[in-house]
Amino acid sequence: MSDYTDYLGDVFAAFGPITVRRMFGGYGIYHDGLMFALVADETLYLKVDAQSLGDFEAQGLEPFVYVKGGRPVKMSYYQAPVAIFEDEALAADWARRAFAAALRTRAGKS
């Protein structure tokens, strides 16, 4: 993995254990076997859905976008707030939101 992804274990310590898997030039971040975040270009993005999107937009956070076939594709992951890297409790709160969004998405409720 990378120093950055190794560091995320510390960032999310109050949330619980995470695992990191390489994927498509980046990394998927998992908790209890469910992907709730991703890392691309050393930037952390958290899972969003219709219920949690407003929290990210209110912070002015940007979505993860990649280019496919010359067109931008926006995914349901948004940049994590920078403040979570300084505050374990805040990191756990945002991780819980992202994990809940991943659970709702898996259940088809978002």
Side-chain angles (χ1 to χ4, degrees):
M1 297 301 139
S2 71
D3 290 341
Y4 185 80
T5 56
D6 289 343
Y7 171 60
L8 293 178
D10 295 335
V11 171
F12 292 124
F15 170 63
I18 64 167
T19 56
V20 179
R21 298 182 197 156
R22 280 191 76 69
M23 55 177 276
F24 308 113
Y27 301 92
I29 312 300
Y30 294 78
H31 176 71
D32 286 343
L34 185 62
M35 188 170 148
F36 74 98
L38 65 84
V39 172
D41 298 321
E42 300 293 308
T43 301
L44 176 66
Y45 297 87
L46 299 173
K47 178 74 173 162
V48 302
D49 67 357
Q51 188 171 326
S52 65
L53 178 60
D55 296 336
F56 290 82
E57 290 178 333
Q59 296 276 328
L61 300 167
E62 296 292 323
F64 174 68
V65 178
Y66 70 95
V67 177
K68 180 178 181 181
R71 293 186 185 177
V73 177
K74 184 169 91 171
M75 294 186 60
S76 59
Y77 290 85
Y78 272 63
Q79 259 184 309
V82 174
I84 72 169
F85 296 100
E86 302 294 325
D87 184 332
E88 267 190 29
L90 188 61
D93 179 55
W94 281 89
R96 280 190 290 274
R97 293 180 209 196
F99 189 71
L103 286 170
R104 287 188 298 269
T105 300
R106 182 174 71 181
K109 295 180 180 176
S110 71

